[in-house]
Amino acid sequence: MGRTRKAVETNRKHLTKAEKQERLDSELGNRVGRDELTSEGLLTAVGQAEFDRLIKQATWLDNIARNELITYCFCWERARAIMEAGKRKILSDHSRRAFRDYTGEMRAISLKLGLSSTDRLRLAAPAKEPKPNKFLKHLK
């Protein structure tokens, strides 16, 4: 299985103008309007509220990220339900393992989607300035 494609602005590989334009066209073709991103009834009211909140705030998300966002919200609502149940009684080992699995999945997806500011900084690597060539002064 190959690596996932990087966005044009974060890609460090030298691309021709035609390659850059082709990639930009494919990236823009995958974007949809904010109103078109829906969970299609896959979430409960609690998960749907979280989905709607993230869609409003995370303007960089596109249609490709929709399935991962739905999975994140599903794990969020399940982990929240386990926490609510834990407030009333002591959790069983099964519930603790399920909570750990849900939160681990949420952590992995939030890294991919860039839901926290530090994750977004990792996704958008700053452009490196080229190092000055110390031998150029000898050639002049």
Side-chain angles (χ1 to χ4, degrees):
M1 188 167 149
R3 293 182 185 175
T4 57
R5 274 177 72 168
K6 290 184 179 180
V8 173
E9 56 271 353
T10 61
N11 193 354
R12 293 183 183 162
K13 181 181 175 185
H14 174 72
L15 299 172
T16 63
K17 288 181 182 179
E19 289 173 328
K20 283 183 184 179
Q21 189 60 43
E22 180 184 334
R23 286 191 179 193
L24 276 174
D25 292 342
S26 69
E27 284 178 18
L28 294 176
N30 290 328
R31 302 223 172 170
V32 295
R34 310 302 312 146
D35 300 335
E36 297 176 38
L37 285 172
T38 61
S39 64
E40 299 176 0
L42 298 172
L43 300 170
T44 64
V46 174
Q48 185 64 43
E50 179 69 4
F51 183 86
D52 294 338
R53 183 187 71 82
L54 289 173
I55 287 296
K56 287 178 187 171
Q57 291 181 356
T59 58
W60 61 89
L61 294 176
D62 56 10
N63 198 26
I64 292 176
R66 183 181 70 88
N67 291 335
E68 289 182 339
L69 185 61
I70 290 171
T71 304
Y72 175 87
C73 292
F74 175 79
C75 291
W76 183 81
E77 71 183 21
R78 297 299 168 122
R80 186 169 181 231
I82 292 171
M83 286 299 291
E84 290 295 322
K87 287 181 181 177
R88 288 174 264 156
K89 60 179 180 145
I90 296 174
L91 294 176
S92 67
D93 286 339
H94 175 72
S95 295
R96 281 191 218 125
R97 271 187 254 127
F99 181 76
R100 186 181 63 229
D101 291 344
Y102 286 135
T103 54
E105 187 70 22
M106 287 169 50
R107 198 173 301 116
I109 292 173
S110 68
L111 178 72
K112 287 182 186 177
L113 295 178
L115 295 181
S116 72
S117 58
T118 55
D119 296 338
R120 282 191 297 280
L121 289 174
R122 278 189 212 135
L123 292 175
K128 289 186 178 179
E129 294 182 19
K131 293 181 182 178
N133 189 340
K134 59 184 178 182
F135 298 107
L136 281 180
K137 64 181 177 184
H138 297 294
L139 293 176
K140 292 181 180 177

